[in-house]
């Protein structure tokens, strides 16, 4: 199973970016998908997660400005980031809890990360 992220980059404060992450490989089903981030000198933190049924959770600092969504048919998760701030600068990693053949349990997979830089 591989997770391929896209959509990172450099943006000015107040701007927007949309991250995408597509899972591929031998996949039976995917449970939770989501995004973590890690800023320089800080621990990795959960930004947003979404269940296969569409229930989402966000870290308090992005509520109201970030929106997570997914396309189950495409095994893809998105993160729409609006009103970006310099403190949102980090490497963003996607995750997916994947059930692979023969389908006994889920394993958490991670993407390689995509850099998001917000300039002031």
């Amino acid at each position: 199973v591989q997770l391929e992220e896209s959509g990172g980059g450099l943006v000015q404060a107040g701007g927007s970016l949309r991250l995408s992450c597509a899972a591929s490989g031998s996949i039976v089903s995917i449970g939770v998908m989501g995004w973590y981030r890690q800023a320089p000198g800080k621990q990795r933190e959960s930004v947003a997660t979404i269940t296969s049924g569409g229930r989402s959770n966000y870290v308090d600092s992005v509520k109201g400005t970030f929106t997570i969504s997914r396309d189950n048919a495409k095994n893809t998760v998105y993160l729409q980031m609006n009103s970006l701030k310099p403190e949102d600068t980090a490497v963003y990693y996607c995750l997916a809890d994947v059930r692979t053949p023969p389908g006994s349990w889920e394993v958490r997979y991670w993407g390689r990360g995509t850099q998001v830089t917000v300039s002031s």
Side-chain angles (χ1 to χ4, degrees):
V1 175
Q2 291 185 327
L3 302 184
E4 184 172 351
E5 299 139 329
S6 61
L10 173 65
V11 65
Q12 288 188 333
S16 298
L17 284 174
R18 188 189 193 215
L19 305 182
S20 300
C21 174
S24 62
S26 297
I27 298 172
V28 173
S29 62
I30 302 178
V32 172
M33 301 185 81
W35 296 89
Y36 275 57
R37 66 186 178 187
Q38 186 165 20
K42 295 187 177 181
Q43 289 188 332
R44 190 177 294 192
E45 69 168 351
S46 175
V47 178
T49 59
I50 185 168
T51 67
S52 58
R55 186 172 61 197
S56 58
N57 279 294
Y58 299 89
V59 67
D60 286 346
S61 60
V62 307
K63 287 180 179 178
T65 58
F66 288 15
T67 302
I68 191 170
S69 61
R70 65 189 281 174
D71 185 332
N72 291 331
K74 296 181 179 179
N75 292 331
T76 300
V77 63
Y78 307 95
L79 186 67
Q80 177 67 43
M81 305 184 293
N82 298 327
S83 302
L84 283 160
K85 306 171 184 176
E87 50 264 43
D88 294 317
T89 295
V91 177
Y92 284 69
Y93 299 90
C94 74
L95 67 94
D97 292 341
V98 180
R99 194 183 306 273
T100 58
S104 299
W105 57 79
E106 290 180 343
V107 173
R108 176 156 290 186
Y109 290 87
W110 293 90
R112 292 187 175 183
T114 184
Q115 177 70 47
V116 171
T117 303
V118 184
S119 64
S120 57

